[in-house]
Amino acid sequence: MKNYSMFLKRLQRIMPNHIKPKFNNDDDLLAWNQAEGRLSSKLIVRKNRAMKMQRILGRSGIRELYMNCSFDNYRIQHEGHQKVVTAARRYAEDFNGNIASFIFSGRPGTGKNHLASAIGNHLILNGKNVLIVTVADLMSNMKGTFSGTSNITEENLLHNLSSVDLLMIDEIGMQTESRYEKVIINQIVDRRSSSKRSTGMLSNLDHKGMKTLLGERVIDRMRIGNSLWLTFEWDSYRKYIKGNEY
């Protein structure tokens, strides 16, 4: 406190008479210093979180366009937008101790990937491991295990996919409808639900299309717990995105 008093006295001696000091006493200066310290601490925390996010997201499969997606920067223009962002935020906040899965279905460009990434980003910052993979990449990796040069087996890959806290499978319905793809997705969902792990699915298909493609068994397992099925029924707003929003 003595140092603050000496500093104020020196400051008052050198300041012109017409300039009023911001701090009139020791308590004002101390309060300002503490407030600045809190701001600096918050900035450091945000920077550390951003660095952590960048390190982990390189392995999560979340694409660069979606790395900064959050619930707060989801574009809300009507009640439908508000409904899905509120439900997705609640899902992320209630994730611990919950075995619920989710399905986001609907038209392209309506925000499914944004909210899925927001869920993933939220969980990553809270210490969870998250993976998002397209069906095409999933099948490519599966078929790669058949190569004689591969050092990972199909069983190893299935185990790894079944071990992350949240696995999100994107672009369901864009793949060729082969029996092998359905079997693999069935095995993944079966293993994850049996081990009480959540799965997310993103698709342009509607309810009927998802059931036809994956079968009632898979859809039924996706309903375990307080699971979420959100339908994105509005027009795409990708034409409004300039690339600097996030």
Side-chain angles (χ1 to χ4, degrees), residues 82-218:
Q82 186 64 63
K83 177 182 176 181
V84 294
V85 75
T86 299
R89 186 194 296 269
R90 186 183 304 118
Y91 177 90
E93 292 174 347
D94 295 343
F95 188 82
N96 283 338
N98 198 338
I99 62 172
S101 294
F102 70 82
I103 297 176
F104 293 169
S105 64
R107 304 174 67 175
T110 48
K112 298 186 296 296
N113 283 94
H114 182 121
L115 289 185
S117 298
I119 290 172
N121 293 340
H122 176 89
L123 296 181
I124 286 170
L125 287 178
N126 284 276
K128 301 298 182 182
N129 48 63
V130 174
L131 177 65
I132 182 167
V133 61
T134 66
V135 173
D137 288 339
L138 172 62
M139 299 315 302
S140 177
N141 280 282
M142 280 295 174
K143 292 172 182 177
T145 64
F146 303 152
S147 168
T149 59
S150 176
N151 58 1
I152 186 171
T153 66
E154 181 183 26
E155 177 59 31
N156 293 147
L157 185 53
L158 282 171
H159 174 75
N160 292 339
L161 291 168
S162 302
S163 300
V164 296
D165 294 315
L166 175 63
L167 173 69
M168 294 182 278
I169 307 174
D170 190 14
E171 297 183 358
I172 290 179
M174 294 183 65
Q175 73 275 22
T176 57
E177 298 181 22
S178 74
R179 175 175 173 78
Y180 180 64
E181 290 169 349
K182 293 181 182 179
V183 168
I184 292 300
I185 293 175
N186 192 313
Q187 287 183 337
I188 292 171
V189 173
D190 183 54
R191 290 188 183 207
R192 292 188 60 79
S193 61
S194 297
S195 59
K196 297 183 179 180
R197 295 188 183 276
S198 304
T199 305
M201 293 185 176
L202 289 79
S203 177
N204 295 339
L205 299 175
D206 58 14
H207 288 65
K208 182 178 179 181
M210 289 288 284
K211 290 179 183 179
T212 300
L213 177 67
L214 299 178
E216 183 61 36
R217 176 185 173 86
V218 171

Side-chain angles (χ1 to χ4, degrees), residues 20-105:
K20 300 298 182 184
K22 185 175 182 180
F23 314 110
N24 296 313
N25 53 55
D26 296 344
D27 291 337
D28 288 345
L29 179 57
L30 179 61
W32 176 83
N33 212 358
Q34 290 174 338
E36 288 298 304
R38 286 192 293 270
L39 288 175
S40 297
S41 297
K42 289 179 181 179
L43 180 60
I44 291 170
V45 169
R46 287 199 298 270
K47 286 184 176 179
N48 286 341
R49 284 185 175 180
M51 291 172 64
K52 178 182 179 183
M53 182 79 77
Q54 292 299 327
R55 288 197 303 269
I56 300 176
L57 286 180
R59 303 191 299 273
S60 71
I62 296 177
R63 298 170 187 172
E64 185 175 357
L65 179 63
Y66 303 110
M67 283 187 177
N68 293 317
C69 286
S70 69
F71 304 112
D72 292 330
N73 60 23
Y74 183 75
R75 188 186 184 100
I76 297 177
Q77 296 177 309
H78 52 68
E79 185 178 347
H81 289 156
Q82 186 64 63
K83 177 182 176 181
V84 294
V85 75
T86 299
R89 186 194 296 269
R90 186 183 304 118
Y91 177 90
E93 292 174 347
D94 295 343
F95 188 82
N96 283 338
N98 198 338
I99 62 172
S101 294
F102 70 82
I103 297 176
F104 293 169
S105 64

